[in-house]
Amino acid sequence: MKILLAACNAKYIHSNPAVYDLRAYASRFKESILLGEYTINQTKDEVLKDIYRSGADVVCFSCYIWNISYIKDLIHDLKKILPGTAFWVGGPEVSFDAEKLLKELPQLTGVMVGEGEETFLELAAYYIEGKCTLEQIRGIAYRDGEEIRHNGWREIMDLSKVPFAYEKTEDFTNRIIYYESSRGCPFSCSYCLSSIDKKLRFRDLSLVKKELQFFLDRKVPQVKFVDRTFNCRHDHAMAIWKYIQEHDNGVTNFHFEISADLIREEELELMSHMRPGLIQLEIGVQSTNPETIQAIHRTMNLEKLKKSVARIKSYGNIHQHLDLIAGLPYEDYESFRNSFNDVYSMEPDQLQLGFLKVLKGSSMYQEAEKYQILYKDREPYEVLCTRWLSYKDILRLKMVESMVEVYYNSGQFQNTLHWLVGAFVSPFDFYENLGAFYEEKGYGEISHSRIRRYEILLEFIREKTSFSESLASQYMVYDLYLREKLKKRPSFASDQKPYEKTIWNYRKVRQIPKTAHIEIFGEEQAVLFDYEHRNPLTNNAAAQVICLTEAEANKKR
C-alpha cells in the first residue's frame, strides 16, 4: 500500500509545508508514504505521468485557491487511468464546502477538513492497517456509496505535538522553506480565514530554537514564518528574534508577518542591531479609512504603525513590505487613493496592492450581499465591484497595481521615481497617469524588457509632462548602472567618448577593477559603481562621486 502526498505549488521556488507536516506526523507509516511536489506551470501530462508511475494506491492533494482548478483537472484524468486509486483532498480551499465538492467531483473519494495531521494519520492507518472505518475518523467528508457523509471537524491540536517536518534540506536548494511557530490569530479580520480559528497556539520555544538552528547550520537562504501575526505575543517574538540574532550565520533571511502597531520599544531596539538582511517584515495595512477598518473588524492604531515603520526604516537594515487591499467596504476610489498615498508616504521597500478575495468560510463571504460585493465565482474569488467601487474603478486600480509592481516594487527605478513622483499632485496620480499612458499606447498587454520599461517611462515624460528629458535620462542611467554593469548602453545614455582617456587614467592610477563602472553625468560629475560591494537589502552597487581630475594631476606629477 502506497499513499502519495501531492503538492501543486504556484512556483518552483515555493515549497508546501502541509505535505511535509502530514508525512512527519504519520512517520510510523513512512515506508508507505510518498511525497510529490509539482508546480501549476508544469504540463498536466507531466504530472499525470509522475503520479501514475508512483504506483500510489491513495493520492492526497493539498488545495489552495491558486491550484484547485489544476488539481480538479488532474483528478478527472487520473481517475480514468487509475480507476482503483482513492483520491483525497485537503486544505483551506476545500474545507468549507466539502460536501458540495464531493457532489461536483464524483471521482473524489473524500475531503480532509481543517487541520490535517491527526486526520491524515488515522486515514493512513485505515488504508494501511485496516483497523478502523471511515465512519470513525473525525475531520473528513467522504463518499459512502450513493451517500455523502460528513463526520464533523476535529478538535484543534497542540502545535508542539507536530514533529519537525524537514528531515533534510537538499531538496530545498534555491527554494523558500516555510515554518510555523504558531497557529490561529487573535484578530477577526473579515476577509481572512485565520480569523475563524480563535484559539491561538504556540509551538514550544525549545523546539522552535532547535529547529531554527537546523536551518542556520545548513545556511538555508530563506525561512518564511507562516504565523499570521508573528508578534501578537511579545515574549514569543522576542525569544525568536533574539535567538536568530545571536546565532546569525550571515546568510539566512527570516520573513515575518507582523502588526507594526504592536511592536514594543524592546523589539525595536533589538531590530536596530540586526545584520542588514537578517529579517524582513510584511505588514498588512489594508486601508487607512477608519470606517473601512471598523467594518472589516480589524484592530489597528495607524499613527503607531506609521511611527514603527518609520523607526525601522531609519535603521536601514530591514526590508519592509506593506500591503493594501482594494474592494473593502466603505472604500471608494477616492478613499483608496488616500490609503495608497498614506502608505506610499511611509516609503516601504515594497507596496503590495492586492484586491479583495471573498474566501469561502470567511466573514466577508457571509457579508458580501450586505456590502453589494460581487466577485468571481471561481478562484481566486476576486472582487469585481462593490457598493463603492464600480468595475471600471477596479480596472483603473488594476493598471495602478501593474505600474507599482513594474516601477516601484522592482526597485529598478528608485532614484528616477524619487525625482519624478514628487512633481505630481500625489504618488497615486503619477501611477494612475502612467497606467493610462500604457493603455493609450497599447503597452499594457505586452511583455517588455527592462530597458524597454525605461524607454516607455521616458516616452511618458516626453509626451505627458513638461519635465526635462535630459535630466530624466540621467536618473535612468544612474538607476540602470546601480543594478549591473551593462553590456550594451541604452539609447538614451549620453556619449561617454570624450571622457574615455580621463576615465582610463583614473582607473590606472587608482587601480580600479574591471568589474566596476565609471559614468559621467551632467556637468562632468563622475560616479563610480562598485559591484563587488552591494547593499544587502536592495542589491544595488555601492556608488560614490569621484574626482577624475585628481587622478590626472597625480599622473602628471
Side-chain angles (χ1 to χ4, degrees), residues 396-414:
R396 291 165 70 193
L397 292 177
K398 286 280 185 181
M399 282 308 300
V400 172
E401 176 203 24
S402 178
M403 295 301 98
V404 169
E405 196 63 31
V406 168
Y407 287 99
Y408 187 86
N409 289 343
S410 68
Q412 297 172 358
F413 302 81
Q414 184 178 337

Side-chain angles (χ1 to χ4, degrees), residues 418-477:
H418 185 74
W419 165 73
L420 184 57
V421 173
F424 279 76
V425 175
S426 77
F428 185 89
D429 289 78
F430 165 73
Y431 291 103
E432 181 185 47
N433 278 275
L434 183 59
F437 180 76
Y438 260 72
E439 290 212 321
E440 176 190 324
K441 294 289 186 175
Y443 296 151
E445 303 303 319
I446 304 171
S447 178
H448 301 286
S449 68
R450 182 184 173 201
I451 291 293
R452 182 61 184 140
R453 295 289 189 187
Y454 282 90
E455 292 171 345
I456 293 172
L457 185 57
L458 198 59
E459 187 182 345
F460 168 75
I461 292 169
R462 184 188 310 122
E463 295 186 19
K464 299 296 182 179
T465 76
S466 58
F467 305 141
S468 165
E469 186 177 343
S470 173
L471 188 55
S473 297
Q474 291 181 57
Y475 275 111
M476 291 182 188
V477 170

Side-chain angles (χ1 to χ4, degrees), residues 183-199:
R183 276 187 192 171
C185 184
F187 303 114
S188 304
C189 304
S190 61
Y191 53 83
C192 181
L193 290 179
S194 295
S195 63
I196 298 169
D197 178 3
K198 296 309 297 177
K199 185 165 183 181

Side-chain angles (χ1 to χ4, degrees), residues 153-167:
W153 290 53
R154 132 183 343 263
E155 290 296 315
I156 57 177
M157 64 184 299
D158 180 350
L159 189 57
S160 296
K161 290 184 178 179
V162 180
F164 185 51
Y166 304 105
E167 297 174 356

Side-chain angles (χ1 to χ4, degrees), residues 157 168 327 358:
M157 64 184 299
K168 54 183 180 179
V358 183

